[in-house]
Amino acid sequence: MKLDFALLNAIVAVANAGGFREAARVTGSNPSRLSDAVRRAEQQLGVRLFNRTTRTVALTEAGRALMERLQPAMSEVDAALDAINRYRTTPSGTLRLNVPVSAARLVLPAIIPPFLAQYPDIRLEIVAESNVQDVFRDNCDAGIRYDESLEQDMVALPIGPRRQRFAAAAAPAYLQRYGLPQHPRDLISHNCIRGRYASGVMPEWEFTREGETLRIQVNGSLVVSVGSAVELAVQAAIAGSGIIYLFEEWLRPSFESGALTPLLEPWWQSFSGPWLYYNSRRLIPAPLQAFINFIRAQGQATDI
């Protein structure tokens, strides 16, 4: 029995995503089109592939049997099509990167425009996560993480600035009203703008000077989600709501404009820059290989 290739793609997309809406988001389609494609596939095959409710979409036994054979076959088709890129003057296809919000703001703006200019046939999709997630979520090909977030069995490639710092800052109006902290311990009595991870953890503020490290559990009237609501925290700090502790480069425009005043700079903690990482055991798609080559050429970096 023959089935249109587009219908097969729709089945795989919905099965992998676990629903029509999520599959539409990942593939750039729309839920109604995918739903219609799956319905037509079921009609032609004469079996139901998915059990649908208002909340869930799950494979039936027949659907699972089909996916067991179909998934490897579709992967081989993708690999075969990607191999054609070797014969093109420039590679094409889609590259999906899973990155922290901080990398999307501080690292990628200097990299993405020249990369797209060099490879105009590549479609780049950036999935910016507020919290660290599996790099292969949403069918991503690679990800950007900091050292402590690197997974095993990954190839890691330096990307972006190799040294970064966290900076403490407050608005002049706040400091005029509440005073200037002279030591990290002074922050305990100040109104600090804190961040919370999806896990519920609110990290301590860590400072380092001449081999001494201090971890301060600060308090304050504003708590924001790490990543997705950080810009709100910056604007609140500028408005005088409290002291903020964030990437130095994120706050630099506010330092230069005078909207925020740097605090405790001798204590600012320095840490290594982020890494592009990917699974070397997987076939590397041409768009990802082009991005890897581009990053290597920029930094003359080597894998670790």
Side-chain angles (χ1 to χ4, degrees):
M1 176 183 295
K2 292 184 178 181
L3 200 64
D4 186 277
F5 194 74
L7 302 185
L8 294 176
N9 270 325
I11 295 169
V12 173
V14 174
N16 286 337
F20 294 103
R21 187 179 300 277
E22 181 66 12
R25 186 184 69 81
V26 171
T27 62
S29 181
N30 65 67
S32 61
R33 184 177 297 131
L34 288 174
S35 179
D36 180 65
V38 169
R39 179 183 56 78
R40 286 188 287 124
E42 290 176 330
Q43 288 177 344
Q44 293 183 35
L45 293 171
V47 295
R48 178 177 290 275
L49 300 174
F50 295 92
N51 288 319
R52 306 165 179 79
T53 69
T54 56
R55 294 185 178 181
T56 63
V57 176
L59 286 166
T60 63
E61 185 176 353
R64 287 193 297 271
L66 177 62
M67 282 298 297
E68 287 177 3
R69 303 291 296 273
L70 188 57
Q71 188 81 64
M74 297 297 281
S75 296
E76 285 298 316
V77 170
D78 289 341
L81 292 175
D82 190 69
I84 300 299
N85 268 316
R86 301 174 185 176
Y87 301 96
R88 293 174 52 88
T89 303
T90 58
S92 67
T94 299
L95 171 61
R96 292 176 60 83
L97 300 179
N98 182 299
V99 308
V101 172
S102 57
R105 183 181 179 95
L106 304 178
V107 177
L108 294 181
I111 295 173
I112 296 308
F115 172 74
L116 293 177
Q118 184 169 331
Y119 297 100
D121 294 331
I122 289 179
R123 177 188 177 192
L124 181 62
E125 297 185 19
I126 304 297
V127 179
E129 298 279 8
S130 299
N131 298 279
V132 174
Q133 301 286 350
D134 176 11
V135 65
F136 298 119
R137 275 190 64 197
D138 298 324
N139 295 321
C140 287
D141 302 294
I144 294 177
R145 295 289 185 270
Y146 288 86
D147 286 347
E148 63 269 19
S149 300
L150 292 179
E151 300 177 3
Q152 295 181 349
D153 301 324
M154 293 288 157
V155 175
L157 188 69
I159 183 172
R162 298 324 305 145
R163 301 302 300 176
Q164 293 182 302
R165 292 195 301 176
F166 274 113
Y174 176 91
L175 297 175
Q176 185 176 4
R177 183 174 182 181
Y178 297 104
L180 187 72
Q182 301 296 324
H183 190 278
R185 294 192 186 93
D186 296 342
L187 295 173
I188 296 174
S189 61
H190 277 269
N191 194 7
C192 297
I193 301 172
R194 296 174 293 171
R196 188 199 307 272
Y197 289 104
S199 63
V201 172
M202 288 194 290
E204 298 174 318
W205 289 9
E206 188 168 316
F207 299 88
T208 302
R209 184 179 185 182
E210 298 176 355
E212 180 184 5
T213 298
L214 294 177
R215 295 178 177 85
I216 309 297
Q217 186 64 61
V218 298
N219 293 292
S221 56
L222 177 61
V223 178
V224 303
S225 297
V226 171
S228 58
V230 168
E231 190 55 37
L232 171 62
V234 174
Q235 294 305 314
I238 290 173
S241 298
I243 297 176
I244 191 170
Y245 193 52
L246 189 61
F247 291 92
E248 178 185 6
E249 289 305 310
W250 200 316
L251 298 179
R252 183 167 299 283
S254 299
F255 292 158
E256 294 174 350
S257 69
L260 290 175
T261 300
L263 305 174
L264 306 169
E265 187 167 358
W267 287 90
W268 289 359
Q269 188 180 56
S270 177
F271 53 96
S272 63
W275 303 79
L276 173 74
Y277 74 100
Y278 57 94
N279 193 331
S280 61
R281 296 180 180 179
R282 297 188 176 192
L283 176 69
I284 300 177
L288 175 56
Q289 187 62 62
F291 191 71
I292 291 169
N293 294 342
F294 183 82
I295 297 303
R296 284 185 176 140
Q298 276 202 330
Q300 297 298 310
T302 57
D303 295 347
I304 63 168

